[in-house]
Amino acid sequence: MEQLILLPAVDVVDGQAVRLVQGVAGTEQSYGDPAEAVQAFVDAGAQWIHLVDLDAAFGRGTNHDLLAGIVADFSSVNIELSGGIRDEASLVSALEAGATRVNLGTAALENPQWTSHAIITYGERVAVGLDVRGETLSARGWTRDGGNLWEVISRLDDDGCARYVLTDVARDGMLQGPNFDLLRRVCEFTDTPIVASGGVSSLEDIERLRAMVPEGVEAAIIGKALYAGKFTVQEALDVATR
């Protein structure tokens, strides 16, 4: 069976690693220094890190310098950088900081022409985050509707998007398991690889996601389950790669 790539998540608000409930601002639970969180995940064997500037995503500030420093300090691992990357300057800045891959979110919904340019120019280094409530996409830090999921995927497929990060907003931070039905439907709709995000709560969830690799689920982001002690990074990697 093919292996599932795992990306432990470090979400940053006001310089601190946090987890939110369903992506709602104000529900933050702090977990301390984000660099220490990244270090712990790397020490446990993680080869990828999902690093998010939530202040930038919500449009209320930036942790750019802190995150750029983390990216530089952990150049031995792959870092997927997300949050507030909405124009050429912020995209180039993230890539020049050393991020392996950058996620576009709101920009992919609000600025299709520039998104197409970014996909064509940067290829595999650009992914698009699809944050979904039902079949409606969410933008601006999950505070605004951003169009129909299937219509946006069709457009991005035509642009040649290399990868989608698919999040069921209702599952995020809830420890209730991923939305496997949504993942399966998206995998049937597009041949583009999917990074599953939101809801992973157990090693059984990881095993089920790994079984979906042949269908198109390439990777999974894991966050709150790690911070809540549901399992360790090493245990998760053992299931994802055995």
Side-chain angles (χ1 to χ4, degrees):
M1 183 178 290
E2 297 178 71
Q3 296 183 352
L4 177 75
I5 299 167
L6 293 183
L7 297 87
V10 179
D11 295 352
V12 181
V13 169
D14 196 22
Q16 296 293 299
V18 303
R19 297 306 300 168
L20 305 185
V21 176
Q22 296 183 324
V24 177
T27 64
E28 296 93 347
Q29 182 174 357
S30 178
Y31 290 93
D33 185 345
E36 291 181 2
V38 172
Q39 185 69 66
F41 292 150
V42 172
D43 289 345
Q47 294 297 308
W48 276 89
I49 300 292
H50 181 70
L51 187 60
V52 185
D53 187 341
L54 283 177
D55 288 319
F58 283 112
R60 63 189 184 193
T62 180
N63 297 278
H64 172 76
D65 291 344
L66 172 63
L67 269 58
I70 291 173
V71 171
D73 289 343
F74 292 92
S75 58
S76 62
V77 297
N78 300 294
I79 294 185
E80 179 179 83
L81 197 60
S82 183
I85 299 166
R86 299 188 177 122
D87 54 29
E88 190 75 9
S90 54
L91 173 58
V92 170
S93 179
L95 293 174
E96 288 183 346
T100 308
R101 185 162 72 220
V102 171
N103 286 352
L104 305 183
T106 295
L109 308 179
E110 296 184 350
N111 194 343
Q113 185 174 359
W114 174 74
T115 300
S116 177
H117 156 77
I119 289 170
I120 293 168
T121 303
Y122 301 105
E124 287 280 337
R125 298 193 72 187
V126 169
V128 171
L130 301 172
D131 302 336
V132 191
R133 298 181 191 272
E135 295 187 355
T136 301
L137 291 163
S138 295
R140 297 280 168 182
W142 299 352
T143 61
R144 296 183 190 174
D145 288 347
N148 177 267
L149 171 65
W150 311 113
E151 292 174 0
V152 171
I153 290 177
S154 293
R155 168 172 60 81
L156 292 168
D157 277 354
D158 288 343
D159 289 337
C161 185
R163 189 169 283 98
Y164 300 127
V165 180
L166 182 67
T167 304
D168 182 339
V169 176
R171 301 287 182 117
D172 191 72
M174 298 299 289
L175 296 177
Q176 295 177 348
N179 187 336
F180 291 101
D181 178 62
L182 175 66
L183 285 165
R184 190 161 285 110
R185 291 167 66 202
V186 172
C187 286
E188 290 171 352
F189 189 82
T190 179
D191 293 329
T192 302
I194 304 298
V195 179
S197 173
V200 173
S201 61
S202 67
L203 295 176
E204 289 75 18
D205 289 339
I206 294 173
E207 193 161 12
R208 287 185 66 184
L209 290 169
R210 188 194 63 186
M212 294 183 70
V213 169
E215 299 176 49
V217 175
E218 175 187 73
I221 294 168
I222 46 177
K224 192 168 184 178
L226 292 174
Y227 294 94
K230 298 294 184 180
F231 50 78
T232 67
V233 171
Q234 187 57 62
E235 288 171 336
L237 289 169
D238 287 345
V239 172
T241 61
R242 70 186 178 200

